[in-house]
Amino acid sequence: MSEATNHFSTRTLMKMKQAGEKIVCVTAYSAIMARIAEEAGCHLLLVGDSAGNTVLGYRNTIPVTLEESLMLTAAVRRGAEHAMVIGDMPFGSYQASIDDAVLNAARYLKESGADGVKLEGGRAMCPVIKRLVTAGIPVFAHIGLLPQSVLKDGGYRVHGRADAEAQALLDDALAVEEAGAFAVTLECIPMELSRKITESLHIPTIGIGAGPFCDGQIQVITDILGLGGDFVPRHAKQFGKLGCAMKAALADYHAAVTDGTFPGEEHSTK
Ligand code: KIV
């Protein structure tokens, strides 16, 4: 944590890697979620474009708009005092041109109070990463499975099993570090590959479905809290069953309203 601001920063994360301290990251999409995650000790809150599935009801992350993402990021910022808040640039907001990417990424810092942005892609995205970093915008890179490329790739799969693909991912990781990214997400890659990448980089690696050797982990909050329905991705573990708890509480509320036991006198205005 930076002493001057009491706020997690790119430097804090780098120091954590150097000290061998695990970096705990989770997605968040609202001020309440952000406050709870921060109180639980999470260091970095990613306003993931997974909001497309978890909050907005889309089938994948592709339809998420910049305005939707900025609004959710601002809410998370209002709920988090110390955690690092990163906005996840949605599909189409950074691929068309480097100038677009700079203008859109700057909006996360200026309008939403984010501490940086995340974007998907390795070597192909390095010119964008370089310009953003030169402009003063911290960039969290993301390689391996890229959810914004799901239509091109024809679905979700583990990346980096074949030797050539593993080498390409190592090259991507080294390239995004060289371009100035402050950390890199490794999504759905074999754990021995993520160990090699983690040992080869100075910046922290943050894994999801990439095994235990990364410098930190990130998970989609609804997956680990049991809020995502029956489907639990293989890389996630349910640390709670909040969906069941919410349903039971709402069923109790429903029963109390229908049988007239709620509201009682103590909940009524005299
Ligand atoms: O959108 C998201 O939540 C992500 C994480 C899964 C890394 O990109």
Side-chain angles (χ1 to χ4, degrees), residues 27 46 48-50 88 118 142 185 187 208 218 220:
T27 66
L46 171 71
D49 62 354
S50 49
D88 201 7
K118 181 168 84 56
H142 183 155
T185 298
E187 179 159 357
I208 174 166
I218 187 159
V220 172

Side-chain angles (χ1 to χ4, degrees), residues 9 14 16 25 39 52 57 61 68 87 130 152 158 167 169 187 189 220 246:
S9 69
M14 188 66 94
M16 288 176 79
C25 314
E39 284 174 4
T61 63
E68 287 167 339
K130 268 190 195 147
K152 173 178 72 78
V158 173
Q167 183 59 51
L169 284 170
E187 179 159 357
I189 69 170
V220 172
M246 282 171 76

Side-chain angles (χ1 to χ4, degrees), residues 19 58 64 66 68 80 96 108 114 156 160 170-171 176 245 248 270:
Y58 300 138
V64 176
L66 182 63
E68 287 167 339
Y108 281 90
Y156 301 97
L170 177 57
D171 293 345
V176 297
K270 293 199 176 102

Side-chain angles (χ1 to χ4, degrees), residues 15-105:
K15 281 189 186 158
M16 288 176 79
K17 173 169 177 131
Q18 286 159 0
E21 283 172 47
K22 290 286 185 188
I23 302 166
V24 184
C25 314
V26 72
T27 66
Y29 315 104
S30 70
I32 291 178
M33 277 183 179
R35 182 175 52 72
I36 294 171
E38 180 172 88
E39 284 174 4
C42 295
H43 306 122
L44 182 150
L45 307 179
L46 171 71
V47 190
D49 62 354
S50 49
N53 310 76
T54 58
V55 176
L56 299 168
Y58 300 138
R59 285 182 55 231
N60 53 41
T61 63
I62 305 291
V64 176
T65 66
L66 182 63
E67 301 304 327
E68 287 167 339
S69 176
L70 288 168
M71 187 193 70
L72 297 175
T73 305
V76 167
R77 174 77 287 161
R78 288 191 286 269
E81 232 179 294
H82 306 298
M84 208 171 168
V85 172
I86 299 296
D88 201 7
M89 297 188 77
F91 178 66
S93 68
Y94 58 93
Q95 294 92 342
S97 75
I98 295 182
D99 288 346
D100 267 4
V102 175
L103 290 171
N104 290 335

